Amino acid sequence: MSEHDSSSARVWSTSQQISELVSKYVFTLDNLDTPQISQQGDVWYESIFTSDVKLSFPIGGYLGTNGLAAFHAVAKGRFESTFHMSTDHVVAAQATTATATATVMAFHRHRQETLDARGHSATPIFRVGGRYDISAIETPDGWRISALAFRVEWSEGDEPDRS
C-alpha cells in the first residue's frame, strides 16, 4: 500500500468514525428511555463526547458529560415523542482534530397537556431543520466530539415552552 493509499484510508476511517458519533448522538436523542441508554446514564455520552464537551442549542448550552443524561431527559420531557434525522455528514480531518457539519431535521410531538393549555390553534408537531457544527478530537479511546452547536435554519409549528 502506498503512502497516499494509507493516508486516504485514514481520512476515510476518520470520517466514518465521526459520522458514526453523530449518528449515535442523534439516535440517543430519540431513545433516552431505552435500557441500552438509560441504564448507562452519563457513561453513554462519554462514548460520544469528550468529558469537557461544549454543547450549544437554541434551548441553551451545556458543558461536559457530567449530568448530560439528565439535561437531555429534561429537554425531551417537554414532548410526547421526538424523531431526529441527520444526513450529509461532511468531515474535514487533520492529524488528531477534525471539524464536521451535518444536516439535521427534527420532529417533536407536543404533550397533550401542552396542546390543551395552548388552545384550539395549537399545532401538535414542532418541526425544525438546521445544521450541527462539530469539532472532534482523537483520544486514547477513539474519536470524540469536543463541541457541537445546533444552528437552526428553519422551523414550523409551535415552539416548546422554555420553562
Side-chain angles (χ1 to χ4, degrees):
M1 177 180 280
S2 73
E3 186 176 315
H4 174 73
D5 291 341
S6 177
S7 175
S8 294
R10 176 160 167 72
V11 168
W12 182 84
S13 175
T14 297
S15 293
Q16 288 299 112
Q17 290 174 61
I18 293 170
S19 182
E20 179 66 24
L21 291 173
V22 175
S23 294
K24 186 175 182 180
Y25 177 60
V26 170
F27 172 82
T28 300
L29 293 174
D30 299 323
N31 294 282
L32 296 175
D33 54 351
T34 63
Q36 176 186 15
I37 297 169
S38 65
Q39 292 174 1
Q40 292 188 50
D42 293 337
V43 173
W44 177 264
Y45 291 95
E46 292 168 5
S47 70
I48 302 169
F49 299 113
T50 60
S51 62
D52 62 346
V53 65
K54 181 180 180 185
L55 301 171
S56 178
F57 307 102
I59 62 167
Y62 200 85
L63 184 60
T65 55
N66 188 24
L68 190 54
F71 171 81
H72 278 88
V74 168
K76 186 178 180 190
R78 294 179 174 135
F79 302 101
E80 183 67 32
S81 61
T82 63
F83 184 79
H84 293 74
M85 299 177 288
S86 70
T87 64
D88 303 329
H89 302 175
V90 178
V91 178
Q94 294 74 41
T96 59
T97 63
T99 58
T101 61
T103 302
V104 179
M105 288 185 59
F107 301 82
H108 306 79
R109 177 175 290 284
H110 288 290
R111 294 187 167 283
Q112 189 59 49
E113 56 265 25
T114 302
L115 296 173
D116 292 345
R118 290 181 176 180
H120 70 279
S121 64
T123 56
I125 305 291
F126 172 61
R127 297 169 195 82
V128 62
R131 299 213 184 291
Y132 284 154
D133 294 316
I134 300 161
S135 296
I137 62 171
E138 190 173 24
T139 74
D141 296 320
W143 285 91
R144 297 293 186 267
I145 295 171
S146 57
L148 182 146
F150 180 56
R151 182 171 25 107
V152 174
E153 299 290 336
W154 60 267
S155 65
E156 181 179 50
D158 295 330
E159 291 188 12
D161 293 330
R162 302 280 177 166
S163 54

